[in-house]
Amino acid sequence: MAAVAIDQYLASILRSNNEDTNEIKLKNGNPDFDLFSIYLENHNKGLHYYSNDVATILYVVSGEAIVKSGEKSLAMKAGNVLLLTENAKYGVESQTQDTVLAKIKFQPGFNYRNFFKDFAYQDSREEKIIKQIVSSLTNEHVLWLKNNQITRASQVMQHIINGYLNNELFARALIGAELTVMIILSIRTQRLVTPASLDKTKFEGSVLDNYIDNHFTDITLTQAAKYFGFNPNYFSNMVKQKTGKSFVSHVDERRMQEARTLLAQPDVSLKEIIGRVGYSSKSFFYKKFNQYYGETPAVMRERLFRQANINLK
């Protein structure tokens, strides 16, 4: 399995499954592993509603899923993580055809509040964030971490699943540490900004940058304005006034940076890059790329490969 990407491997399990059950339990590489069990959400028909008896993490490995928690329907995308407490009720209302939804179910007794208690030690900022997290889990029984497929947190999640499937030395200790790393990376990236906590007079570009980092693949001005609690026109003008650049310019800049990073990876095709950075038109992507870098993606990729001594011929 090492030679196969984890998303492809898990997708193959779903395709080969013939059981009419809502969940498919993955076989643990080490039968003595006692931290959690991992399941995949099946694509069978019927109602997929659950009442948790243990703390659970939902992770969208690929595709998209609509998860209902309380009265809210959460449109989860690849890379998103949902923390659910041991008494949470939720339902998987729909999935796209390519969705792989992994569910990490902890052993009885695992408690998020205990898990987070040692996180904050630096100053009041960290304590405030942890209190916000614990409050969300206590009152709403859920915490939505909107990572995307290419964030480090998402990569760590995939490594956790891979470690669970294999029987490697010190896997339990490593996986436990990686869970902490995944949560911290998610928190640091998102800053857990909410409309209520964002003062209009204290809007900073860094807050916007953190939001764009997590949503640049499918972001819109209207969605961003709603997230921060502003009218779209007001939000657009405020971004321009506070940062000197339009909202669209911020998004395009982040997409171009990501495109350059992906171009340096020989196993990622140009077609895949265009989709992963949020464009649906090849010609439009080429136009934006040339405006930003002054050269075509093909020319840049050739130069990056040459600098890295990569020869694909």
Side-chain angles (χ1 to χ4, degrees), residues 7-8 149-150 262 265-279 285 301:
D7 57 340
Q8 297 175 9
Q149 245 178 333
I150 57 178
L262 294 173
Q265 302 178 23
D267 58 337
V268 183
S269 69
L270 184 56
K271 180 179 179 181
E272 185 178 358
I273 291 173
I274 294 172
R276 284 174 64 169
V277 300
Y279 294 106
F285 170 75
R301 166 162 270 188

Side-chain angles (χ1 to χ4, degrees), residues 100-120:
V100 176
L101 177 60
K103 308 164 83 167
I104 295 177
K105 296 187 178 185
F106 291 95
Q107 293 299 316
F110 179 89
N111 188 296
Y112 286 119
R113 289 178 287 279
N114 294 332
F115 181 70
F116 284 117
K117 69 178 182 179
D118 295 327
F119 275 29

Side-chain angles (χ1 to χ4, degrees), residues 142-190:
V142 62
L143 181 67
W144 189 8
L145 302 173
K146 298 180 182 179
N147 307 321
N148 60 52
Q149 245 178 333
I150 57 178
T151 57
R152 285 180 59 200
S154 184
Q155 294 168 9
V156 173
M157 276 297 297
Q158 295 192 28
H159 198 263
I160 288 171
I161 296 173
N162 190 65
Y164 172 89
L165 295 171
N166 290 283
N167 185 15
E168 298 178 346
L169 292 173
F170 306 109
R172 190 189 190 284
L174 180 59
I175 289 173
E178 287 177 327
L179 279 170
T180 300
V181 170
M182 185 276 294
I183 297 293
I184 291 177
L185 287 173
S186 301
I187 294 171
R188 289 177 64 182
T189 300
Q190 295 170 81

Side-chain angles (χ1 to χ4, degrees), residues 1-276:
M1 190 186 65
V4 180
I6 193 68
D7 57 340
Q8 297 175 9
Y9 175 74
L10 298 179
S12 70
I13 292 178
L14 288 172
R15 287 194 300 269
S16 62
N17 175 70
N18 295 317
E19 298 182 13
D20 188 22
T21 57
N22 288 355
E23 299 176 321
I24 304 168
K25 187 174 183 179
L26 296 182
K27 185 177 180 181
N28 194 335
N30 183 350
D32 296 324
F33 185 83
D34 61 353
L35 185 57
F36 55 71
S37 297
I38 300 182
Y39 296 76
L40 297 181
E41 187 73 9
N42 201 358
H43 283 244
N44 60 316
K45 297 180 180 179
L47 299 175
H48 289 221
Y49 287 97
Y50 307 92
S51 181
N52 271 6
D53 55 359
V54 294
T56 302
I57 293 178
L58 304 189
Y59 169 58
V60 183
V61 183
S62 61
E64 300 178 6
I66 303 296
V67 176
K68 187 174 180 61
S69 174
E71 298 300 319
K72 299 178 180 178
S73 290
L74 312 178
M76 298 184 64
K77 300 181 182 296
N80 282 196
V81 169
L82 198 66
L83 307 186
L84 296 156
T85 64
E86 64 278 4
N87 50 1
K89 295 181 179 180
Y90 72 97
V92 181
E93 295 191 321
S94 65
Q95 306 178 72
T96 54
Q97 188 174 2
D98 61 338
T99 297
V100 176
L101 177 60
K103 308 164 83 167
I104 295 177
K105 296 187 178 185
F106 291 95
Q107 293 299 316
F110 179 89
N111 188 296
Y112 286 119
R113 289 178 287 279
N114 294 332
F115 181 70
F116 284 117
K117 69 178 182 179
D118 295 327
F119 275 29
Y121 74 94
Q122 179 178 320
D123 53 31
S124 59
R125 293 177 302 168
E126 292 184 352
E127 293 179 359
K128 184 177 180 180
I129 291 172
I130 297 304
K131 286 181 179 178
Q132 184 179 352
I133 291 172
V134 173
S135 175
S136 178
L137 288 169
T138 301
N139 298 320
E140 301 178 20
H141 308 296
V142 62
L143 181 67
W144 189 8
L145 302 173
K146 298 180 182 179
N147 307 321
N148 60 52
Q149 245 178 333
I150 57 178
T151 57
R152 285 180 59 200
S154 184
Q155 294 168 9
V156 173
M157 276 297 297
Q158 295 192 28
H159 198 263
I160 288 171
I161 296 173
N162 190 65
Y164 172 89
L165 295 171
N166 290 283
N167 185 15
E168 298 178 346
L169 292 173
F170 306 109
R172 190 189 190 284
L174 180 59
I175 289 173
E178 287 177 327
L179 279 170
T180 300
V181 170
M182 185 276 294
I183 297 293
I184 291 177
L185 287 173
S186 301
I187 294 171
R188 289 177 64 182
T189 300
Q190 295 170 81
R191 297 293 194 273
L192 297 180
V193 178
T194 63
S197 68
L198 186 62
D199 189 330
K200 293 182 181 181
T201 64
K202 296 180 179 179
F203 184 87
E204 298 176 357
S206 60
V207 175
L208 178 65
D209 291 341
N210 291 329
Y211 178 79
I212 291 175
D213 278 343
N214 285 281
H215 302 275
F216 66 86
T217 59
D218 58 358
I219 199 170
T220 68
L221 173 64
T222 300
Q223 290 171 341
K226 183 178 180 180
Y227 177 83
F228 287 112
F230 299 128
N231 170 277
N233 288 334
Y234 180 92
F235 179 73
S236 178
N237 292 332
M238 182 178 63
V239 170
K240 178 70 173 180
Q241 179 184 357
K242 295 290 186 181
T243 69
K245 294 186 295 186
S246 69
F247 175 78
V248 172
S249 294
H250 279 281
V251 175
D252 282 337
E253 182 176 337
R254 180 63 183 87
R255 288 175 170 177
M256 290 300 105
Q257 292 169 355
E258 191 63 35
R260 186 184 187 281
T261 299
L262 294 173
L263 280 170
Q265 302 178 23
D267 58 337
V268 183
S269 69
L270 184 56
K271 180 179 179 181
E272 185 178 358
I273 291 173
I274 294 172
R276 284 174 64 169

